[in-house]
Amino acid sequence: WLVKTEPESFSIQDLARQPKQTTHWHGVRNYQARNTLRDDMKLGDQVLFYHSNAEPPCVVGIAEVVREGYGDFTAWDQNSDYYDPKSTAENPRWFMVDLKLVRIFAKPLALETLRPIAALQEMELLRKGSRLSVQPVRKKEFDAIVKLAGN
């Protein structure tokens, strides 16, 4: 998997400072990404952490799913930016997972560094117009990125 975040909102360094280096991956308001969080991400799955809207946009590390999909409680909080009056605890519309930091890459992998890599040619992240904040990553793509990251 790959999750996108804007580093000024929540960076991998912010994740490193969280208690137990774990956070709720909340606030996703796209149905396709929601379905991935709810149905597909499983305990122990590895997740690439991507800083979007950064200079340069880059993969910066790895997290792990430590709690499978459950109702996103920020949707029930009227004071939250992610409030949705149609979502309730009894019938959640939005879901989240909990992620724990595995490691921060010694050197971020910029998007332009990834584009020429043969094993990544079909990666969702590199597809023109791809905007999903939660994306699938094939094993060969994940392995290629980890190899590039070294350490």
Side-chain angles (χ1 to χ4, degrees):
W1 304 106
L2 179 140
V3 295
K4 291 181 179 179
T5 181
E6 295 181 3
E8 63 275 357
S9 297
F10 190 83
S11 69
I12 200 163
Q13 290 77 18
D14 293 326
L15 177 56
R17 288 189 288 272
Q18 297 299 305
K20 299 182 182 178
Q21 297 185 323
T22 302
T23 192
H24 313 294
W25 202 256
H26 67 277
V28 174
R29 297 297 182 263
N30 169 285
Y31 286 105
Q32 188 175 350
R34 183 261 338 245
N35 293 348
T36 298
L37 292 167
R38 182 189 67 198
D39 303 331
D40 302 326
M41 295 178 91
K42 300 300 179 193
L43 196 64
D45 283 356
Q46 299 291 286
V47 180
L48 296 172
F49 205 98
Y50 181 79
H51 283 173
S52 64
N53 203 19
E55 282 302 323
C58 50
V59 180
V60 294
I62 301 171
E64 179 179 332
V65 176
V66 293
R67 183 175 178 192
E68 292 183 12
Y70 60 102
D72 182 343
F73 53 76
T74 65
W76 316 322
D77 179 357
Q78 292 184 2
N79 297 316
S80 171
D81 291 339
Y82 303 110
Y83 175 65
D84 181 346
K86 294 180 180 176
S87 184
T88 65
E90 299 76 28
N91 188 20
R93 174 178 277 193
W94 305 109
F95 287 77
M96 61 185 169
V97 297
D98 287 357
L99 297 178
K100 179 178 178 65
L101 180 65
V102 172
R103 72 176 181 161
I104 298 174
F105 294 159
K107 183 177 180 195
L109 298 173
L111 195 58
E112 290 309 314
T113 303
L114 303 177
R115 287 196 192 283
I117 307 299
L120 304 179
Q121 293 308 301
E122 296 179 15
M123 188 172 186
E124 178 67 23
L125 178 68
L126 303 179
R127 196 172 57 80
K128 194 169 189 85
S130 176
R131 303 195 43 87
L132 275 178
S133 62
V134 180
Q135 303 177 358
V137 175
R138 294 172 191 88
K139 181 174 180 2
K140 73 174 187 170
E141 297 164 345
F142 189 91
D143 292 347
I145 288 175
V146 170
K147 185 177 179 181
L148 278 172
N151 75 338

